[in-house]
Amino acid sequence: MEALESRPRRSFLNWFLGSSLVAVVGSFLYPIIRFISPPRIPEATTNQVEAGDTSDPVLLDKGYKIVRFGAEPVILVKVTDSEYRAFSATCTHLDCIVGYQKDRTRIFCNCHGGTYDLNGRNVAGPPPRPLTAYKVNLIAKGSEPAKIVVSRA
Amino acid sequence: MIDHVGKWLDDRLGLSTLVELGSHKTVPVHRYTVFYYLGGMTLFFFLVQVFTGVLLMLYYRPSANEAFESVEFIMTVVPFGWLIRSIHSWSANLMVFFAILHLTSVYFMKAYRPPRELTWITGVLVLFLILGFGFSGYLLPWNQLAFFATKVGTDIAGVVPVVGPWIVRFLRGGDRVSGGTLSRFYGWHVAVLPAITCVFLLGHLVLVQLKGMSIPSACEEETRRRKPMKFFPHFALRDLSGWLFALGVLAALAALFPWELGEKADLFAPAYPNIRPEWYFVFMFQTLKVIPGGEIFGLEYEVIPILLFGALGALLMFVPFLDRSAPGKGRGWSILGVVALLFVIGMTCWGYMSLLPLYVVIITAVLLMLFAFMTRGGRKSEEQ
């Protein structure tokens, strides 16, 4: 008789102990999971950067250069003497940094062979999307080489 | 005096029981006995990794500003630093190579069958952990190759449904591969992965002792006919001479082909031409390379092979529960294994635009046959 009576009490205690255990484990795990998830640090939004001037030897030699746009790499391509274009340099395939092949006039990613044309369109290889375009302004000042300013389109 | 100390220790630790157990341990002898040495060889390279890894920690500095320079310091200034680092890199590659060889032989001998399912699963987990070591260790020199390999490798994790983006941030320690990523990878490489690996490796080794060596069903008759080899001293000595030979090979490789360092990582430079990952990831790399861009049902094409490789990894792990065929049967699984192997070899050759990987496979097979002959164990007179 007594054994029958004590059963609900035991199951209540088991449930009670079990749920407290879950709560204890949870209270251990929660801070740990929060700790291992990197905090989101707000980045200063960059809207435009100065990318040197048109006499830049790298630009003259290779026909392009990678510009620091905040934390983002942006590729600046010299199309003609008076025309420059800029795109996000992050390949839309798997995050590599693209370069420019002057002899074949194409933007190319050496990681997996992603190919983009001079409008940033993905024309061959694995990239799923085109490169984001940036705006390029040339600021001429008398006879000095023009300044290149890259800004968000 | 030594006897006295031995007696004292034995009274307290009961070592004689272990010695007694060890003296009864035998290894079956048949024409494929050579495959039983592959796991031990993998273990040897793992031990070399632990030892050289601890040595490298004395000089290595895990920060974006110092990592590359500290490895350069190890390679050029620290006495024998070039040797220790090169051995660490070579041994890492040979460890992966032997782990894969070990897995392949166990797979085709169907040694994963009951009661050895857990031995197989712990073994596959250790292989995955070894690949994790390879991937995390790759970033530590903080060179261009490391930077892009880590960018691509962590980006791939983003395709995992729902939690993908969280995993990428967790792996990178932020939104981008940066100095924070290096700190994390270092922590995993020298603390987290070794701890987890020790648990599974120990489990794996204990299970091998508990269940003994699996005998391929085709060799059962031969095994009954031939006298098994005592583990101590016969098999252990063969193991040891193999290890000594491997150490010599490591030293020779390190001296003749010191591991290169490359250029320091530049977060604002394009990937250099012909960049590719370590050889054991090349088949996946090449697959990703040849899949064109596009999407189907809102799923980008590149996601498909990544998810498929993940599924194949799970399939590999759970093979003991999927292949329920009777001994001597289950040819389908062997064919699947051959197809997978041919795919991996083919894609690797394509990735390198060279037949070298194929030659390596052929040379390995020939060497294994040669060693099988050399270590066939038991003279004619020992056969009953």
Side-chain angles (χ1 to χ4, degrees):
Chain A
M1 194 64 193
E2 202 168 74
L4 277 176
E5 268 178 9
S6 68
R7 235 171 242 163
R9 195 186 299 170
R10 167 154 300 182
S11 74
F12 170 75
L13 283 175
N14 279 346
W15 181 87
F16 194 70
L17 274 174
S19 53
S20 342
L21 199 66
V22 169
V24 168
V25 170
S27 69
F28 283 170
L29 285 183
Y30 179 73
I32 293 174
I33 290 171
R34 287 298 303 273
F35 183 85
I36 62 173
S37 319
R40 291 192 182 273
I41 301 160
E43 285 173 4
T45 42
T46 309
N47 287 317
Q48 70 172 42
V49 293
E50 271 189 36
D53 57 49
T54 50
S55 68
D56 188 323
V58 179
L59 213 47
L60 292 175
D61 176 37
K62 292 184 179 164
Y64 83 104
K65 72 178 195 178
I66 304 286
V67 180
R68 285 167 188 254
F69 200 88
E72 291 288 342
V74 164
I75 184 167
L76 175 69
V77 180
K78 178 180 175 180
V79 183
T80 63
D81 278 345
S82 59
E83 193 185 0
Y84 291 77
R85 289 181 194 168
F87 304 95
S88 158
T90 306
C91 185
T92 56
H93 180 222
L94 290 172
D95 208 29
C96 278
I97 300 178
V98 297
Y100 174 61
Q101 293 179 330
K102 199 176 169 183
D103 49 339
R104 305 178 74 163
T105 55
R106 61 178 191 179
I107 295 169
F108 189 74
C109 179
N110 275 319
C111 283
H112 304 96
T115 308
Y116 305 86
D117 65 11
L118 287 185
N119 293 311
R121 274 189 316 221
N122 46 321
V123 288
R129 285 180 302 278
L131 296 171
T132 310
Y134 284 70
K135 216 160 58 188
V136 182
N137 287 313
L138 297 182
I139 301 169
K141 213 193 229 175
S143 60
E144 283 170 34
K147 255 191 200 151
I148 306 170
V149 175
V150 177
S151 54
R152 281 190 200 279
Chain B
M1 179 64 192
I2 290 172
D3 281 354
H4 190 71
V5 173
K7 172 93 176 55
W8 189 90
L9 281 174
D10 187 31
D11 285 344
R12 276 140 195 91
L13 301 171
L15 294 174
S16 55
T17 331
L18 281 178
V19 174
E20 171 70 10
L21 271 175
S23 71
H24 291 300
K25 183 175 161 59
T26 59
V27 178
V29 174
H30 52 73
R31 58 186 180 278
Y32 298 132
T33 295
V34 65
F35 291 136
Y36 296 147
Y37 294 96
L38 297 176
M41 196 54 103
T42 314
L43 178 66
F44 169 72
F45 289 118
F46 179 76
L47 296 177
V48 172
Q49 288 311 91
V50 173
F51 186 71
T52 51
V54 169
L55 287 179
L56 289 172
M57 280 170 75
L58 298 182
Y59 294 102
Y60 178 74
R61 294 159 190 243
S63 83
N65 292 327
E66 294 179 302
F68 183 84
E69 286 76 6
S70 70
V71 178
E72 205 170 39
F73 181 72
I74 290 170
M75 290 298 278
T76 54
V77 181
V78 179
F80 291 106
W82 59 273
L83 182 70
I84 303 299
R85 176 179 177 246
S86 295
I87 287 186
H88 195 72
S89 302
W90 274 112
S91 175
N93 282 280
L94 288 173
M95 172 168 66
V96 174
F97 183 77
F98 274 91
I100 293 173
L101 213 56
H102 180 43
L103 176 118
T104 310
S105 70
V106 168
Y107 180 86
F108 286 111
M109 292 198 297
K110 294 190 178 288
Y112 51 73
R113 282 185 166 144
R116 297 186 181 80
E117 299 97 322
L118 290 177
T119 321
W120 169 267
I121 289 177
T122 49
V124 173
L125 282 172
V126 170
L127 174 70
F128 289 164
L129 286 163
I130 286 177
L131 295 179
F133 271 113
F135 183 64
S136 58
Y138 215 57
L139 178 64
L140 301 187
W142 198 246
N143 54 23
Q144 278 293 81
L145 180 57
F147 176 63
F148 284 109
T150 307
K151 259 171 111 62
V152 172
T154 50
D155 201 60
I156 282 174
V159 309
V160 177
V162 189
V163 288
W166 184 85
I167 295 177
V168 176
R169 291 196 82 245
F170 166 69
L171 290 172
R172 291 181 174 177
D175 291 316
R176 294 183 183 79
V177 174
S178 64
T181 319
L182 184 59
S183 309
R184 290 198 163 214
F185 274 43
Y186 180 68
W188 294 325
H189 192 77
V190 306
V192 180
L193 288 175
I196 302 174
T197 307
C198 275
V199 172
F200 286 113
L201 188 58
L202 226 78
H204 189 67
L205 294 175
V206 167
L207 283 168
V208 171
Q209 304 315 312
L210 287 179
K211 296 293 162 201
M213 295 297 192
S214 156
I215 300 161
S217 51
C219 301
E220 266 167 15
E221 200 276 322
E222 187 189 355
T223 311
R224 266 195 300 276
R225 201 157 37 78
R226 300 178 68 174
K227 198 177 149 194
M229 197 192 292
K230 272 186 172 280
F231 188 84
F232 293 110
H234 302 302
F235 194 85
L237 281 177
R238 282 171 166 82
D239 248 344
L240 271 181
S241 30
W243 292 15
L244 194 64
F245 182 74
L247 192 62
V249 169
L250 275 179
L253 284 171
L256 296 174
F257 311 101
W259 211 261
E260 57 183 69
L261 182 54
E263 273 177 54
K264 186 174 175 172
D266 178 349
L267 276 51
F268 292 91
Y272 58 83
N274 293 322
I275 191 166
R276 65 168 84 79
E278 282 295 276
W279 57 271
Y280 42 87
F281 290 131
V282 164
F283 73 98
M284 293 194 266
F285 160 81
Q286 185 62 23
T287 310
L288 287 174
K289 209 168 164 172
V290 297
I291 300 273
E295 54 176 41
I296 182 166
F297 306 127
L299 205 64
E300 283 171 7
Y301 283 167
E302 83 237 24
V303 173
I304 298 164
I306 295 171
L307 292 179
L308 215 61
F309 283 131
L312 284 174
L315 190 74
L316 185 73
M317 185 135 88
F318 295 112
V319 144
F321 302 110
L322 300 169
D323 175 10
R324 311 299 300 249
S325 56
K329 297 265 164 50
R331 179 153 295 172
W333 286 93
S334 299
I335 294 171
L336 188 71
V338 172
V339 171
L341 217 53
L342 287 178
F343 173 79
V344 170
I345 296 169
M347 283 317 248
T348 310
C349 285
W350 192 2
Y352 282 104
M353 287 305 233
S354 141
L355 284 177
L356 187 69
L358 182 65
Y359 296 150
V360 170
V361 171
I362 294 170
I363 291 169
T364 308
V366 170
L367 281 178
L368 274 175
M369 278 190 261
L370 190 69
F371 284 126
F373 179 74
M374 283 162 58
T375 58
R376 64 199 182 283
R379 292 180 300 274
K380 279 272 183 242
S381 60
E382 272 180 21
E383 289 184 23
Q384 292 164 343

